[in-house]
Every structure is written in structure tokens, then in C-alpha cells.
Amino acid sequence: MARRGTLGRIIVLLILIIILICGGLLWFDYLGIMRTRHLFGPVYSLFGLHNRQGVSTLPSAPGNLDEDRIAKRLESIDIRSQELDLREEELNRREREILQISQELEDRQTTVEERERSFSEMMRSTEDRAANIRVIAGYMNGMPPQAAVDNLLAMDDQDVIDVLRAVEDEAAAAGETSSVAYWFSLMPPERAAEIQRKMTSKPRTLE
């Protein structure tokens, strides 16, 4: 009787172990750790159940790992391409800014060159005018006083002032007395007074 009781316990324990093993396999299959549902296909068929496919975390085929690596590389390449596009856009923006600055510098340089050219022309014109005034002053000194005064009265006040000053400068350089005072005495009083006033208020130039 004791042997029969021991044998019964062993059989019960074996059945429990088999049940635990089967339950563990089903649980591992449910968790996606192992693929064991195909082992229980006959049992499902016996009870009229379908062998439901569980969600597995294992690769479905040996080539999936390579596909994953390729997909990741493609994603990395796409990200890198987007970064390069952003850098290219930034470089294009900076290039446009540099071109704009370069154009502004060229415009400024052109303006400076034009001002320098205008200044040079003005200086040359001034020098030419000064030379002409000295020539006219020499002619005036060689004329009879009344003829010199008549010519002066036909000029603008600024030209008259410049000629008179040139005559005074030449007389001072030669150590002689200039004819300016005598010429003033031959001019109409109002015109003579106006010229003298301008010469006094603006000692060397008249705008």
C-alpha cells in the first residue's frame, strides 16, 4: 500500500511539473521570449481553438537585423543631409551678406573717388583762376588808370576784389605803391564803398 501511495505521489508530481513547464512555455511565448505556440497546435485543434500568433520581440527572420542596421544608417544619412542643407543655407545667407557689404564698400569707394576727383578739379580750377587773376592784374597795371577802372567796373565784385588784391600783392613784392587807392577814387562812390566793405568783412575770399 505504501508503494502505491508513493507511486501516486510521483505521478501527481510529474503531472504538476509538466503543467508548470507547459504554462511556462506559454508564458514565455506570450512575452515574446520564445516561440512555442506551434508546439501546442494539436491541443488548440483538439479544443477547436485557433493558434493565435503572439507579439514577439525576436526578429522574424535572420535578415531583419541587417535591415534594421540599414534603416538606422539611412536615417543617419537623412539627418546628416538635413544638417548639410541647413549649413548650405547658412553659407548662402552669409555669402549674400558678404556680397552686399562688398557692394556697399564699392559704392563708398566710388563716392570717395568722385569726391577726390571733384576736389582735384576744384583745386586745379582754383589754381587756374589764380593764375588768370595774376595775368589780369599785370594787364591792369599796364593800362591807364581810367581804362583799368572801366574794366574793373565791368567785372563782378568778387573778381574785382581778387584783381585788386593781386595788384597789391605784386606792388608789395616789388616794393612799390599800388594803384588800388587811386583806382577807388575813380570809381563811383557807391560801388567803391561796396567793394571796400566786402574786402573788409571777408579779408581774403568772397563767397
Side-chain angles (χ1 to χ4, degrees), residues 143-185:
M143 292 181 183
Q146 188 60 51
V149 169
D150 291 340
N151 286 322
L152 289 172
L153 293 176
M155 299 179 184
D156 294 335
D157 288 351
Q158 181 63 57
D159 293 336
V160 173
I161 292 171
D162 291 339
V163 170
L164 294 180
R165 282 176 174 160
V167 170
E168 288 179 341
D169 292 340
E170 289 181 2
E176 300 175 352
T177 303
S178 71
S179 303
V180 173
Y182 182 59
W183 289 348
F184 273 128
S185 66

Side-chain angles (χ1 to χ4, degrees), residues 130-149:
N132 293 333
I133 291 296
R134 288 193 294 271
V135 171
I136 294 172
Y139 291 156
M140 293 295 182
N141 277 327
M143 292 181 183
Q146 188 60 51
V149 169

Side-chain angles (χ1 to χ4, degrees), residues 68-101:
D68 291 341
R69 294 191 186 98
I70 293 173
K72 290 181 180 179
R73 289 180 181 177
L74 291 176
E75 183 180 0
S76 176
I77 292 173
D78 185 54
I79 294 173
R80 181 63 176 172
S81 177
Q82 293 178 2
E83 292 177 353
L84 291 176
D85 291 340
L86 291 176
R87 290 184 180 180
E88 182 179 2
E89 184 178 354
E90 179 67 17
L91 289 175
N92 291 334
R93 185 184 64 80
R94 292 183 179 181
E95 183 179 1
R96 290 193 296 270
E97 291 179 353
I98 292 173
L99 290 176
Q100 182 178 359
I101 294 173

